[in-house]
Structure formats: structure tokens, C-alpha cells
Amino acid sequence: MDVRLTGEQRQLREAAAKLADDLGPGSVAELDDENRRARLERAVAATGWRALRTDGASGVEVAIVAEEFGRGLVDVAFLGPVLADDLGGRFGAEGRWTIAVGDRAIDARGSDSALLVTGEQVTAAPVGAPLPGADLTRRTATVAAERRHLGELTADRATRWHALAVTMTTADLLGVARGAQDLAVEYAKVREQYGRAIGSYQAVAHLLAENEALIEGAISVLRHAAWAVDELAPALALRAARIAKVYTARAARTVCETSIQVHGGIGNTWECLAHVHLRRALVSTELFAVRLEEIDLGLS
């Protein structure tokens, strides 16, 4: 496997990063700015990135966008619609779709219907009222009890879709961790104590260096999992995704909590954006959650 991004993939990353930086929330207060969110929604819709899989994009390319959107705390729907798009074309599903996990529609802002994958069965249901949740950037909603059967996937197709779903939540986790690290590094550069920037003290510098090491490890396992979505057998792709998810979820939580610690007292206030990163990381960890016993590490 060649882990290097192609020229087109680098351009995709740059475009996704610029969109997230320009229109993503730069503060907790901006989460309530509906005008900003409307501009962000129009920009994401114009890119056509929610239909990346229908357009033939690889798992690597979908993960690139998901990672940058996680880093920038993009607060319009992406993960849910992309996963629905990967399925919808097979069943003639049209409209504004997201994915349901259990009895909840995830990433449901702007969606009126949800697809639910249970084993190899695919059903659809209307999206209902918004639900309260920890993630301040993505909406969770109820799903109507009545389900409409759309069809069945082959076992391999269901496994590969699940690998894509786990990989996308992993990419979001990596992005969230990178965003929290950037926040902490910038703060450490400008916050002074005893006449010096706190980043110049070893205690803070070591925390940030350890974060960076965790992020680099997550980049490696995610890149392999994203490549595996299309290039390995479905069972191996799912195994790679699960390994990446377990590592990255733990790394992201550590990075986000460390970011709060580096911010000191301000890090424990509502106005500090660090807690928004942590909230999103915790929710992404629970989406398509992985249990250790599900992973065959080949140690027996």
C-alpha cells in the first residue's frame, strides 16, 4: 500500500480544510449563528461531497473530508448523508437521507428520512424531532417506529459498508483531536505565566508533544483503514477499521482532555471551545462502537 496522497487527494484536503476554517465555528458563541451555518450548508451542498461514494470516491477520499470537517467542528450534516448515499443508490432512495443507529438518526440536521442497516437488511423510516445530546455540532433525532423494508445487501457488501462507517467515525475522531491540539498549541503560545509563554515550560511542552505522538499514530492506522475499505477483502477491511477506531478513540479523548488541561482554568468554562471537541469525540466514539472482543488480533 502506498500511503502517500495523490495530487487530487491533496487538493481535496486543502479544499475541505479551507471550507472548515472559513465557515466552521470559531467560538462557542458561533454555534448559535444560524446565518453562518446557512452559508456553511450552502457551501457543503455546492461541493457535492455528500455524494462522494456515488461519484466513485475511495474510502481514503471520504476520510479526508471527514477528518477536516472534524478538525473544524463543521456543524452541518456530512457523515450521515455520505453513509446513506453509499447505500441509497442501490435502493433508489431519493431525498435528504441520513443513517439511523438503533432508534436514533445521527447527523440528522436537514434530513427527513433515515436508513437503518440491521445485519444485511436495509430499512427506511422518517426522521422525527431533535433529541438532546452531548455533541453541540451535530443533531440527533428520533426515528419513527414504522419501518419500510428497502432490500437486502450481500454479506460482503454489508461488511464493507460497516467498514466504511467505522472508518468515517475514526476519521472524524482524528480530525477532532487535531483541532483540539491546534487549539492548545495556539493557547500555549500566547498565554503567559511568570513573564513567559506557558508553552516554553517543559511540563506543558511535554503534554503537547505526547499529544502529537498520539495523533501521528492515529494518522497511520486511519490511512490504512481508509485504504482497506476498497482494497482488502470485506472482513479484513472491517478488522482494519475496528483497530483504527479503538486506537484513535482513546487517542482523541486523551488529546481533548489534555487540551482542556493546557488551557487551565479557562479550559473548564463554557466559552472555551475545547469542550466542544471533547463532546464530539465522545459521541463519535459511541457511533458504530467497537468492542475489543470483536477484533481478531491473531494472537491465539
Side-chain angles (χ1 to χ4, degrees), residues 2-14 58 60-61 64 223:
D2 188 345
V3 300
R4 294 172 297 181
L5 299 181
T6 66
E8 289 183 352
Q9 289 168 343
R10 289 195 297 271
Q11 290 176 0
L12 178 63
R13 180 181 290 281
E14 291 168 3
S58 68
V60 171
E61 288 150 0
I64 285 171
R223 191 69 59 82

Side-chain angles (χ1 to χ4, degrees), residues 46-274:
T47 64
W49 289 338
R50 290 170 176 145
L52 276 171
R53 291 295 280 178
T54 295
D55 292 340
S58 68
V60 171
E61 288 150 0
V62 175
I64 285 171
V65 178
E67 180 185 337
E68 292 302 328
F69 278 13
R71 181 189 61 80
L73 297 175
V74 166
D75 53 345
V76 299
F78 176 71
L79 185 147
V82 167
L83 292 177
D85 169 72
D86 191 63
L87 293 171
R90 296 173 174 268
F91 302 107
E94 296 181 357
R96 298 176 300 173
W97 290 85
T98 189
I99 290 295
V101 178
D103 59 354
R104 297 189 170 202
I106 67 168
D107 205 13
R109 182 174 277 114
S111 297
D112 47 33
S113 302
L115 294 174
L116 178 66
V117 180
T118 307
E120 296 162 18
Q121 305 289 323
V122 180
T123 56
V127 171
L131 292 168
D135 189 349
L136 301 180
T137 62
R138 294 179 296 194
R139 176 176 295 169
T140 302
T142 61
V143 179
E146 62 272 15
R147 304 288 168 86
R148 177 165 54 95
H149 183 259
L150 293 183
E152 296 184 15
L153 302 170
T154 65
D156 281 354
R157 181 70 182 87
T159 300
R160 197 174 294 282
W161 181 86
H162 193 55
L164 176 67
V166 176
T167 298
M168 280 197 63
T169 56
T170 303
D172 186 78
L173 283 164
L174 172 57
V176 169
R178 288 178 51 217
Q181 173 77 341
D182 291 345
L183 204 66
V185 169
E186 289 306 311
Y187 186 78
K189 289 178 181 178
V190 299
R191 177 69 169 95
E192 292 189 357
Q193 194 65 266
Y194 306 112
R196 295 169 55 187
I198 63 172
S200 66
Y201 295 107
Q202 283 190 348
V204 174
H206 286 176
L207 287 175
L208 295 174
E210 289 168 4
N211 274 1
E212 201 62 38
L214 290 173
I215 289 170
E216 287 299 317
I219 290 171
S220 296
V221 291
L222 171 64
R223 191 69 59 82
H224 177 258
W227 168 84
V229 165
D230 301 304
E231 300 298 333
L232 294 185
L236 293 177
L238 181 56
R239 177 176 179 269
R242 285 171 168 168
I243 291 172
K245 179 71 176 279
V246 168
Y247 177 91
T248 306
R250 292 181 176 182
R253 178 165 182 166
T254 298
V255 171
C256 291
E257 290 178 344
T258 300
S259 178
I260 293 173
Q261 181 180 358
V262 168
H263 278 83
I266 193 68
N268 290 286
T269 65
W270 180 262
E271 289 76 15
C272 181
L273 203 58

